[in-house]
Amino acid sequence: MFSVKPLKPTFKSYLPPLQTDLKKSPQLTIRKLEAKLLPGEIVVNEANFVRKCIGADSSQDDLWGKLICTNFKVSFITHNSLPQQNFKYVHRLLGEHDVPLACVEQVVTVNDVKGKQKVLGSNKKLKFNPTELILYCKDLRILRFRFDQAGPESAKKVCLAIAHYSQPADPQLLFGFEYVSSRYYGSSGERVNGVDPGGGQQTPLFDRPSDWDREIKRTGASEWRVCSVNEGYTISPSLPEYFVVPASLADQDLKQYACSFTGQRIPLWCWNHPNGSALVRMSSISDPQQQRKLDQRICSAITKSHPQRCDVFKSDLDKQLPNIQEVQAALVKLRQICVIEPFEESEEKWLSSLESSRWMDYVRAFLRHAVEVVYTLEGKHTSVILLEEEDRDLSCVVAGLVQLMLDPHCRSLLGFQALVQKEWVMAGHRFLDRCNHLKRNEERRKEESPLFLLFLDCVWQLLNQYPSAFEFTETYLTVLSDSMWIPIFSTFLFNCPKQRAEHSRDFARSRSIRLGQDQALRFPAVWDWSQQFSPKDQTLFNNPLYVGKGATCVQNGAVKTFKRTKKSYSSTLRGLPPALRNGQLSDLDTLPRRNSLVLRLRPELGQAREPCETPCERFVRERFSRPADPQGMLLPQLLPSHLSLWRLYFLRWVPEARIPHGGPATAFHKLSLLVDEIHTLQSRLRHYNTSNSTPTPTGPPPPAPSLALSPPPNPPQRPHSLSRPQPEQQQQQQQQQQQQHHGRMYFRTSSSAPAGTPSTPDYLSSSFPFSPEGNLCRRGLLGTPLSKLLSGARIWLSTETLANEAL
Amino acid sequence: MEHIITPKVEHVKLLDRYATKKSATGTLYLTATHLIYVETSNNTRQETWILHHHISSVEKLPLSTSGCPLVIRCKTFHQLHLLVPRERECQDVYQSLLRLSQPVKLDELYAFLYNPNQNEEERREGWVAVDLAADFRRMGLPNDHWETTELNKEYEMCSTYPSMLWVPKGASRATILGSAKFRSRGRLPVLSYYHKDTKAAICRCSQPLSGFSARCLEDEQMLEAICQANPNSPFMYVVDTRPKLNALANRAAGKGYENEDNYSNIRFNFQAIENIHVMRNSLQKLLEVCTMKSPSMSDHLTGLENSGWLRHIKAAMDAGVFLAKAVTDEKASVLVHCSDGWDRTAQVCSMACILLDPYYRTMKGLMVLIEKEWISMGHKFTHRCGHLDGDPKEVSPVFTQFVECVWQLTEQFPCVFEFNERFLIDIHDNVFACQYGNFLGNCQKERKEMRLQERTFCLWPFLLERENQFRNPLYKRKTGPLRPNTLPLHFKLWCGLYNHYDTGMHPKQSVLDRLLSLTQKKSEGEKHMLDLQRQLAVADGILPDPAGPIGVPTKQCSQSLSTPTPPLNQSYGDVNCLKNGTGEDTGSGGECTNGGQAEHFPDSDSDLTVKTGKAVSVNFQE
């Protein structure tokens, strides 16, 4: 059985010892409560004798400790432990009660004696001594601290510090700069503290031509080439230095065309279908006189790059999808109903509240749009251009989804990371603006939008419908979204590669950092997960159901059964899945918008459509009548009943919504054990097949291999012979086992426990591996829901209005 | 057969529910028991079998240019839209179906015709497979506090109760008889479940005939006796599962609820589950949502909410949770009633049993539970399911709700049930099918009079035969009491039941299928390993060789590897057969090809519903 033992250190950490170590020495006194700091991190302000609220209704479980504001995080240090010490994965950068400043959305101070409250902004004044501090976080947590016993001045200072430092005025004030630069001092700058600053196992970052070359080869895009006209970002500020263009376009042409596009963005190649049709993204043409000509040039170049010289289909995303403000408004509403005011008044109205947020509607719209593009690429063998004004927002979502549906490589962990790197980071999604890491004003607020979260939600919907097609789990997706709020990773810190380069160069210059061979500071990518989690915790990312390429272990016996079943499902009397036909693709309701922040005229879609089945619908219908192939194309089912709320993400902190001993985590646990067992058996088989060292039936068990369904173990189907193992075979086996090391399951059967009777660990719940304890304290004074105190709907929407009203 | 005017109609179109363009053409057959639609095109033959008993309504739509439309709706939520070329034929089919789907006499029910090739011995054994007395023994009864009473042996005290009743030892004969007189239809408080660990009991009854002020000393003694039978709690709960308003209204009719002042040591509680009429209408609305043509997200969500269906499911679940909490947390006994104590009471008691006792989460256990709380305690299956032509107001999806409650639990706790969704759907379909005797009649007395055990067969052994399909691969045996979360957001629409026949609605990749195959794979691997170990031992001369030389692959091994697994998606009465399917890999396994028999219309459809598929055997020796 799995037991929660502290892991032996498997590598030498460059990080300070974790704060949890503190708890093991209870003799420590209050005086010794000190913040655990990262390199470059400094304490700004702190207050002692602070109470962190844990329970919603009573203060009996509250923790006493010290509240510290550093230039990186809000840290609460205590040596009390939580009432029910639930399982929690250990974060290497953050302690149990820590929140990165970048994750703080809103700082609210309350004085319940005077009945005052104020939302603190950067450089704001506070006229009263706070008795309470409430932090609303971007990852949907709500933390509450009480200052009853703390010194009034220090409490006030700590609140002001948090408010101030959580909204830096300049990107270079984000903690990542201090953190990364501090690691350069005293080192040659080649490899920083033993970690490859490029980050990650082999996740390509697409910041060098070779990554693109490999991608071209992988997708067989022979008529496309890597171009380097933008080296040094001389042409376009928002494009990467290297990208891929039709082979027929010369650098000279590109330079000439660039100035007519919004942001000088030359159309970007994303991906090639095996049939030769390409997925391209393009910004709008700003020069109206050039528009027609240029349009033709680009289209004909793309046509030339198509093996059948097929025409190009243009898909205008701005006209068919919600804009970024609408997506933002939907999230605000959704978190309102999930986190702030759930289940009291809205007991009976859960579904209609969900409906009114329109979030699910938008998820569906993006998925549906991606399906249409998939149809054009796969069904019509036609290249597709995704058109968007700036080509930096909606295109990222759609281009990502299309590739996930069509390319099984993108459903592996590395493939997915490469996809995000390619379509989001390198394509210049404005993470800095969309995450709103900086000081908030009305203008910046308009730029804030959770598009990446929306993308992750869409991926989750696919994962939910095709549970064995993805190498990763929903925990991975959740943790990835949380990483957006840790301002250390190059991935989410900048608006585009150029911005990263400039800022890191300037910063290095201003600090006189010797960069060695590098031209700029090297920020780690988020993909190096060992920065945040132990190898053991990283196995939470592994999907036990994943059928990787050639994972024959499941395919030879089982998948056939699976296929047959599917066939009998599909061979219906009606012959086609009728529900899908209309529900899915016909009548593209054009998302009637309520409360749109920006009113834009959108042409009615569907007028041109026939009332009967469109080719796209037929395509989808025919696809659905075939068995699903986890290694083939995945099309999501889009009837409303097929889409569901991503519970883990939206409800993990909500204590009322937790199902103790239940939820998908229990299935994950059992599945991991099953997979582990299968692989133990397989390796035994291999062992018996390859060894002849007179094994008795009760011989010593083979070295316990821990394999997942991926990477494929591909058991050698050797002839059943009792031959001596060849040295090469042994070597091969060892290699295999090493490769498989990272793919093992989080939960494993222990050899001692009798197989088949595992009991669910007590800490499993629907929130696993997260825990609501102390992370969602939304009740206000005297049991009044805080939402009422703060006039509900405006929380998380506008600091200014709220501040004015509250005072 | 006398009701069948036209047994065969050709060139009938089966309309797609959504589009008019793609429609199949085929032949419609009417048999004594089934409506069969056979579509042949491109060498494939597809058959749809619909049991007449499953048909809930037949509707003739106005004549159109292309023919005469006929809409058939089933109790299993199957919907067929047929287009019959000539109006005359349509009228014939319509009239026949009207009559066939609403039998007047019990003898017309399919169960009395159905013969699954069992001999009398097997039939007898089948009927005793689920033994309620054994279940009470399992609970540790009889003991110092509870005993059986003979007072209802010939159903003289209460005609809708079973003959064997469990009552507290402290209740005298006079108390029991007196209490029965004070309860609506004589349904006095009797034991439903005994929780060994806490000694708390769940009892059930019907509403008291209290009116505005009436009292009954015996009834008060009866409750006192129940309370006394539990040494662990000084009080007991009395739960009225109705909304308070309904209970109040009943007082005017001389019924009502217990007055806390008259009974010592009771705590009274309402649970607000709506009545059968509200539930019937709610299901109607739900089905409208499920069959919407092309719903937008808002249509779907608001429609679902307005149907109120999930709210009712939640109410039943909440009441079950209340009972379970009372028993485990407060160690208090509970007495449950609604109006007559056969609808909501059955739901709530059986929910509590499932929450409390892991046994009821096994296949066998669920069968016992259904026999105990529903069949034996007099849930009026004939009326609620509309087996016979009768009062439509008596029909209500009470049992459907119970099945859905269990499904909602399986969604929250994927690893605590031995069975999967298909088991629940299969039971649900069989309740309406009248193919087996279990769900005929309204109470035990009626069933005895119908001599069901001699004339029909018992469903449970047939379900257990197909255990492999119904297994939940994630099942963990060691599980305690369940504490489901009953926030509205945890209740989902059960597409698997309400859209069971909309093939496009099914998940394209079912974890269940995958896991069933994985577990099979695992046992194969284990078997193979054992076999190899044995062969090694033989080769090393440690073991004598029982099966001949090693070189010959052992026969028993290959047999064990190819354990037959019937196809997983069997749905009652809907059989899709492939005949010479081109391009399909029929060679790989024993793909079902019994289409040839279709014209003979065998009396039983058992050989058609059960396709004999063979698992693909994995030959490691290759």
Side-chain angles (χ1 to χ4, degrees), chain A residues 702-741:
Chain A
S706 53
L707 323 167
L709 285 182
S710 79
N714 203 357
Q717 295 278 338
R718 297 182 206 291
H720 174 60
S721 64
L722 306 170
S723 64
R724 285 195 174 276
Q726 304 295 315
E728 312 95 82
Q729 281 181 354
Q730 280 181 332
Q731 236 175 15
Q732 197 186 337
Q733 234 178 339
Q734 276 173 357
Q735 273 175 357
Q736 259 183 4
Q737 280 182 7
Q738 272 168 1
Q739 277 171 7
Q740 284 145 7
H741 181 77

Short mmCIF file of all heavy atoms in Angstrom, two decimals, chain A residues 702-741:
data_model
loop_
_atom_site.label_atom_id
_atom_site.label_comp_id
_atom_site.label_asym_id
_atom_site.label_seq_id
_atom_site.Cartn_x
_atom_site.Cartn_y
_atom_site.Cartn_z
N PRO A 702 10.53 -10.63 -9.46
CA PRO A 702 11.43 -9.82 -10.27
C PRO A 702 11.47 -8.41 -9.70
O PRO A 702 10.56 -8.00 -9.00
CB PRO A 702 10.78 -9.83 -11.65
CG PRO A 702 9.34 -10.12 -11.38
CD PRO A 702 9.31 -10.97 -10.17
N PRO A 703 12.51 -7.70 -9.99
CA PRO A 703 12.58 -6.31 -9.50
C PRO A 703 11.32 -5.58 -9.90
O PRO A 703 10.97 -5.55 -11.08
CB PRO A 703 13.80 -5.74 -10.22
CG PRO A 703 14.09 -6.69 -11.35
CD PRO A 703 13.61 -8.03 -10.88
N ALA A 704 10.66 -5.04 -8.91
CA ALA A 704 9.35 -4.47 -9.18
C ALA A 704 9.44 -3.34 -10.19
O ALA A 704 10.06 -2.31 -9.91
CB ALA A 704 8.75 -3.94 -7.88
N PRO A 705 8.91 -3.52 -11.34
CA PRO A 705 8.94 -2.46 -12.32
C PRO A 705 7.70 -1.61 -12.12
O PRO A 705 6.67 -2.11 -11.69
CB PRO A 705 8.86 -3.21 -13.62
CG PRO A 705 8.10 -4.45 -13.27
CD PRO A 705 8.20 -4.69 -11.80
N SER A 706 7.84 -0.40 -12.38
CA SER A 706 6.66 0.44 -12.23
C SER A 706 6.43 1.10 -13.56
O SER A 706 7.16 1.98 -13.96
CB SER A 706 6.94 1.48 -11.17
OG SER A 706 8.12 2.14 -11.49
N LEU A 707 5.43 0.63 -14.23
CA LEU A 707 5.21 1.13 -15.57
C LEU A 707 3.82 1.68 -15.68
O LEU A 707 2.91 1.20 -15.03
CB LEU A 707 5.36 -0.01 -16.57
CG LEU A 707 6.44 -1.03 -16.26
CD1 LEU A 707 6.26 -2.22 -17.14
CD2 LEU A 707 7.79 -0.43 -16.46
N ALA A 708 3.71 2.62 -16.50
CA ALA A 708 2.37 3.09 -16.82
C ALA A 708 2.04 2.51 -18.18
O ALA A 708 2.84 1.81 -18.78
CB ALA A 708 2.34 4.59 -16.88
N LEU A 709 0.88 2.82 -18.62
CA LEU A 709 0.55 2.41 -19.98
C LEU A 709 1.43 3.17 -20.94
O LEU A 709 1.54 2.86 -22.10
CB LEU A 709 -0.91 2.69 -20.26
CG LEU A 709 -1.85 1.70 -19.58
CD1 LEU A 709 -3.27 2.04 -19.95
CD2 LEU A 709 -1.53 0.30 -19.98
N SER A 710 2.01 4.21 -20.46
CA SER A 710 2.92 4.94 -21.29
C SER A 710 4.16 5.23 -20.51
O SER A 710 4.09 5.41 -19.31
CB SER A 710 2.31 6.28 -21.68
OG SER A 710 2.45 7.15 -20.59
N PRO A 711 5.30 5.33 -21.06
CA PRO A 711 5.54 4.99 -22.44
C PRO A 711 5.37 3.50 -22.67
O PRO A 711 5.49 2.74 -21.73
CB PRO A 711 6.99 5.42 -22.64
CG PRO A 711 7.56 5.38 -21.28
CD PRO A 711 6.48 5.73 -20.35
N PRO A 712 5.05 3.17 -23.88
CA PRO A 712 4.68 1.78 -24.13
C PRO A 712 5.79 0.81 -23.77
O PRO A 712 6.91 0.98 -24.22
CB PRO A 712 4.42 1.76 -25.62
CG PRO A 712 5.14 2.93 -26.15
CD PRO A 712 5.09 3.96 -25.09
N PRO A 713 5.46 -0.12 -22.93
CA PRO A 713 6.48 -1.11 -22.62
C PRO A 713 6.70 -2.06 -23.79
O PRO A 713 7.79 -2.58 -23.96
CB PRO A 713 5.89 -1.84 -21.43
CG PRO A 713 4.47 -1.51 -21.36
CD PRO A 713 4.20 -0.34 -22.25
N ASN A 714 5.68 -2.23 -24.57
CA ASN A 714 5.80 -3.06 -25.75
C ASN A 714 6.50 -4.37 -25.44
O ASN A 714 7.64 -4.59 -25.84
CB ASN A 714 6.58 -2.29 -26.83
CG ASN A 714 6.25 -2.85 -28.20
OD1 ASN A 714 5.50 -3.83 -28.29
ND2 ASN A 714 6.79 -2.25 -29.22
N PRO A 715 5.84 -5.20 -24.70
CA PRO A 715 6.51 -6.41 -24.24
C PRO A 715 6.95 -7.25 -25.41
O PRO A 715 6.19 -7.48 -26.34
CB PRO A 715 5.42 -7.12 -23.43
CG PRO A 715 4.16 -6.59 -23.95
CD PRO A 715 4.42 -5.21 -24.42
N PRO A 716 8.18 -7.66 -25.39
CA PRO A 716 8.67 -8.45 -26.51
C PRO A 716 7.92 -9.78 -26.55
O PRO A 716 7.95 -10.53 -25.59
CB PRO A 716 10.14 -8.64 -26.18
CG PRO A 716 10.27 -8.39 -24.71
CD PRO A 716 9.15 -7.48 -24.32
N GLN A 717 7.23 -9.99 -27.61
CA GLN A 717 6.48 -11.23 -27.74
C GLN A 717 7.44 -12.31 -28.25
O GLN A 717 7.39 -12.73 -29.40
CB GLN A 717 5.31 -11.05 -28.71
CG GLN A 717 4.26 -10.08 -28.21
CD GLN A 717 3.31 -10.73 -27.23
OE1 GLN A 717 3.15 -11.94 -27.22
NE2 GLN A 717 2.67 -9.92 -26.39
N ARG A 718 8.29 -12.68 -27.39
CA ARG A 718 9.27 -13.67 -27.82
C ARG A 718 8.60 -15.02 -27.91
O ARG A 718 7.63 -15.29 -27.23
CB ARG A 718 10.38 -13.75 -26.78
CG ARG A 718 11.12 -12.47 -26.66
CD ARG A 718 12.23 -12.65 -25.66
NE ARG A 718 12.58 -11.37 -25.07
CZ ARG A 718 13.16 -10.39 -25.73
NH1 ARG A 718 13.44 -10.54 -27.00
NH2 ARG A 718 13.46 -9.26 -25.16
N PRO A 719 9.20 -15.86 -28.73
CA PRO A 719 8.70 -17.24 -28.76
C PRO A 719 8.88 -17.84 -27.37
O PRO A 719 9.84 -17.53 -26.67
CB PRO A 719 9.58 -17.91 -29.79
CG PRO A 719 10.76 -17.02 -29.97
CD PRO A 719 10.28 -15.65 -29.67
N HIS A 720 7.94 -18.65 -27.05
CA HIS A 720 7.99 -19.21 -25.70
C HIS A 720 9.11 -20.24 -25.64
O HIS A 720 8.95 -21.41 -25.91
CB HIS A 720 6.66 -19.86 -25.38
CG HIS A 720 6.68 -20.57 -24.08
ND1 HIS A 720 6.95 -19.94 -22.89
CD2 HIS A 720 6.49 -21.87 -23.77
CE1 HIS A 720 6.91 -20.81 -21.92
NE2 HIS A 720 6.64 -22.00 -22.42
N SER A 721 10.25 -19.80 -25.32
CA SER A 721 11.37 -20.71 -25.24
C SER A 721 12.12 -20.44 -23.95
O SER A 721 12.05 -19.35 -23.39
CB SER A 721 12.30 -20.50 -26.43
OG SER A 721 12.85 -19.20 -26.36
N LEU A 722 12.79 -21.42 -23.50
CA LEU A 722 13.49 -21.26 -22.24
C LEU A 722 14.97 -21.04 -22.51
O LEU A 722 15.84 -21.82 -22.13
CB LEU A 722 13.28 -22.50 -21.37
CG LEU A 722 11.80 -22.85 -21.17
CD1 LEU A 722 11.66 -24.20 -20.52
CD2 LEU A 722 11.13 -21.78 -20.35
N SER A 723 15.24 -19.97 -23.22
CA SER A 723 16.64 -19.75 -23.61
C SER A 723 17.31 -18.83 -22.61
O SER A 723 16.66 -18.14 -21.83
CB SER A 723 16.68 -19.11 -24.99
OG SER A 723 16.07 -17.85 -24.94
N ARG A 724 18.59 -18.80 -22.67
CA ARG A 724 19.34 -17.92 -21.80
C ARG A 724 19.12 -16.46 -22.22
O ARG A 724 19.05 -16.18 -23.39
CB ARG A 724 20.83 -18.23 -21.89
CG ARG A 724 21.18 -19.49 -21.16
CD ARG A 724 22.67 -19.58 -20.96
NE ARG A 724 22.95 -20.74 -20.13
CZ ARG A 724 22.89 -20.70 -18.81
NH1 ARG A 724 22.62 -19.58 -18.19
NH2 ARG A 724 23.14 -21.79 -18.11
N PRO A 725 19.06 -15.58 -21.30
CA PRO A 725 18.92 -14.17 -21.68
C PRO A 725 20.20 -13.68 -22.32
O PRO A 725 21.30 -13.99 -21.86
CB PRO A 725 18.67 -13.48 -20.34
CG PRO A 725 19.25 -14.38 -19.32
CD PRO A 725 19.14 -15.77 -19.86
N GLN A 726 20.04 -12.95 -23.37
CA GLN A 726 21.20 -12.38 -24.04
C GLN A 726 21.61 -11.12 -23.29
O GLN A 726 20.78 -10.43 -22.72
CB GLN A 726 20.84 -12.01 -25.48
CG GLN A 726 20.28 -13.16 -26.29
CD GLN A 726 21.31 -14.25 -26.49
OE1 GLN A 726 22.46 -13.95 -26.82
NE2 GLN A 726 20.93 -15.49 -26.26
N PRO A 727 22.87 -10.83 -23.30
CA PRO A 727 23.30 -9.60 -22.63
C PRO A 727 22.59 -8.37 -23.19
O PRO A 727 22.19 -7.49 -22.44
CB PRO A 727 24.80 -9.54 -22.92
CG PRO A 727 25.19 -10.84 -23.52
CD PRO A 727 23.98 -11.62 -23.84
N GLU A 728 22.41 -8.35 -24.50
CA GLU A 728 21.76 -7.16 -25.09
C GLU A 728 20.35 -7.02 -24.54
O GLU A 728 19.86 -5.95 -24.27
CB GLU A 728 21.68 -7.24 -26.63
CG GLU A 728 22.93 -7.64 -27.34
CD GLU A 728 22.97 -9.12 -27.62
OE1 GLU A 728 22.37 -9.54 -28.60
OE2 GLU A 728 23.58 -9.85 -26.84
N GLN A 729 19.74 -8.19 -24.40
CA GLN A 729 18.36 -8.14 -23.90
C GLN A 729 18.31 -7.51 -22.52
O GLN A 729 17.47 -6.68 -22.23
CB GLN A 729 17.80 -9.55 -23.83
CG GLN A 729 17.35 -10.07 -25.17
CD GLN A 729 16.78 -11.48 -25.07
OE1 GLN A 729 16.84 -12.08 -24.00
NE2 GLN A 729 16.26 -11.97 -26.17
N GLN A 730 19.24 -7.93 -21.71
CA GLN A 730 19.25 -7.38 -20.36
C GLN A 730 19.45 -5.87 -20.40
O GLN A 730 18.77 -5.11 -19.72
CB GLN A 730 20.37 -8.03 -19.55
CG GLN A 730 19.95 -9.39 -19.03
CD GLN A 730 21.05 -10.02 -18.20
OE1 GLN A 730 22.23 -9.73 -18.42
NE2 GLN A 730 20.67 -10.87 -17.27
N GLN A 731 20.41 -5.49 -21.23
CA GLN A 731 20.68 -4.08 -21.35
C GLN A 731 19.42 -3.33 -21.78
O GLN A 731 19.03 -2.33 -21.20
CB GLN A 731 21.76 -3.88 -22.39
CG GLN A 731 22.94 -3.12 -21.86
CD GLN A 731 24.04 -3.05 -22.88
OE1 GLN A 731 23.81 -3.31 -24.07
NE2 GLN A 731 25.21 -2.70 -22.45
N GLN A 732 18.82 -3.91 -22.78
CA GLN A 732 17.62 -3.30 -23.34
C GLN A 732 16.56 -3.13 -22.24
O GLN A 732 15.93 -2.10 -22.12
CB GLN A 732 17.10 -4.21 -24.44
CG GLN A 732 16.12 -3.55 -25.38
CD GLN A 732 15.55 -4.59 -26.33
OE1 GLN A 732 16.16 -5.62 -26.56
NE2 GLN A 732 14.40 -4.32 -26.86
N GLN A 733 16.46 -4.18 -21.45
CA GLN A 733 15.47 -4.16 -20.39
C GLN A 733 15.75 -3.03 -19.41
O GLN A 733 14.86 -2.30 -19.00
CB GLN A 733 15.51 -5.49 -19.65
CG GLN A 733 14.15 -6.13 -19.58
CD GLN A 733 14.24 -7.47 -18.88
OE1 GLN A 733 15.30 -8.07 -18.79
NE2 GLN A 733 13.13 -7.92 -18.39
N GLN A 734 17.02 -2.94 -19.06
CA GLN A 734 17.38 -1.90 -18.12
C GLN A 734 17.05 -0.53 -18.68
O GLN A 734 16.48 0.33 -18.01
CB GLN A 734 18.87 -1.98 -17.80
CG GLN A 734 19.17 -2.99 -16.71
CD GLN A 734 20.65 -3.19 -16.52
OE1 GLN A 734 21.45 -2.60 -17.25
NE2 GLN A 734 21.01 -4.02 -15.57
N GLN A 735 17.39 -0.38 -19.93
CA GLN A 735 17.10 0.91 -20.56
C GLN A 735 15.61 1.18 -20.51
O GLN A 735 15.18 2.27 -20.16
CB GLN A 735 17.55 0.89 -22.01
CG GLN A 735 19.00 1.29 -22.16
CD GLN A 735 19.46 1.15 -23.60
OE1 GLN A 735 18.68 0.71 -24.44
NE2 GLN A 735 20.68 1.52 -23.87
N GLN A 736 14.88 0.15 -20.84
CA GLN A 736 13.42 0.32 -20.84
C GLN A 736 12.95 0.78 -19.47
O GLN A 736 12.18 1.70 -19.35
CB GLN A 736 12.76 -1.01 -21.17
CG GLN A 736 12.31 -1.10 -22.60
CD GLN A 736 11.60 -2.41 -22.85
OE1 GLN A 736 11.40 -3.21 -21.95
NE2 GLN A 736 11.24 -2.63 -24.09
N GLN A 737 13.46 0.11 -18.47
CA GLN A 737 13.00 0.45 -17.13
C GLN A 737 13.36 1.87 -16.76
O GLN A 737 12.60 2.56 -16.10
CB GLN A 737 13.58 -0.52 -16.12
CG GLN A 737 12.79 -1.82 -16.13
CD GLN A 737 13.31 -2.80 -15.11
OE1 GLN A 737 14.18 -2.45 -14.31
NE2 GLN A 737 12.80 -4.00 -15.14
N GLN A 738 14.52 2.28 -17.20
CA GLN A 738 14.89 3.66 -16.90
C GLN A 738 13.96 4.64 -17.59
O GLN A 738 13.52 5.61 -17.01
CB GLN A 738 16.33 3.91 -17.33
CG GLN A 738 17.31 3.55 -16.22
CD GLN A 738 18.72 3.51 -16.71
OE1 GLN A 738 18.97 3.79 -17.89
NE2 GLN A 738 19.64 3.19 -15.85
N GLN A 739 13.67 4.31 -18.82
CA GLN A 739 12.76 5.20 -19.56
C GLN A 739 11.41 5.26 -18.87
O GLN A 739 10.77 6.28 -18.80
CB GLN A 739 12.55 4.66 -20.97
CG GLN A 739 13.65 5.06 -21.91
CD GLN A 739 13.52 4.34 -23.23
OE1 GLN A 739 12.53 3.65 -23.46
NE2 GLN A 739 14.50 4.50 -24.07
N GLN A 740 11.01 4.10 -18.39
CA GLN A 740 9.67 4.05 -17.83
C GLN A 740 9.60 4.68 -16.46
O GLN A 740 8.53 4.90 -15.93
CB GLN A 740 9.23 2.58 -17.74
CG GLN A 740 8.86 2.04 -19.09
CD GLN A 740 9.24 0.59 -19.22
OE1 GLN A 740 9.66 -0.03 -18.26
NE2 GLN A 740 9.08 0.05 -20.40
N HIS A 741 10.73 4.98 -15.90
CA HIS A 741 10.75 5.49 -14.54
C HIS A 741 9.83 6.69 -14.37
O HIS A 741 9.04 6.76 -13.43
CB HIS A 741 12.17 5.86 -14.15
CG HIS A 741 12.26 6.37 -12.76
ND1 HIS A 741 12.23 5.54 -11.67
CD2 HIS A 741 12.35 7.63 -12.27
CE1 HIS A 741 12.31 6.26 -10.58
NE2 HIS A 741 12.39 7.52 -10.90
#
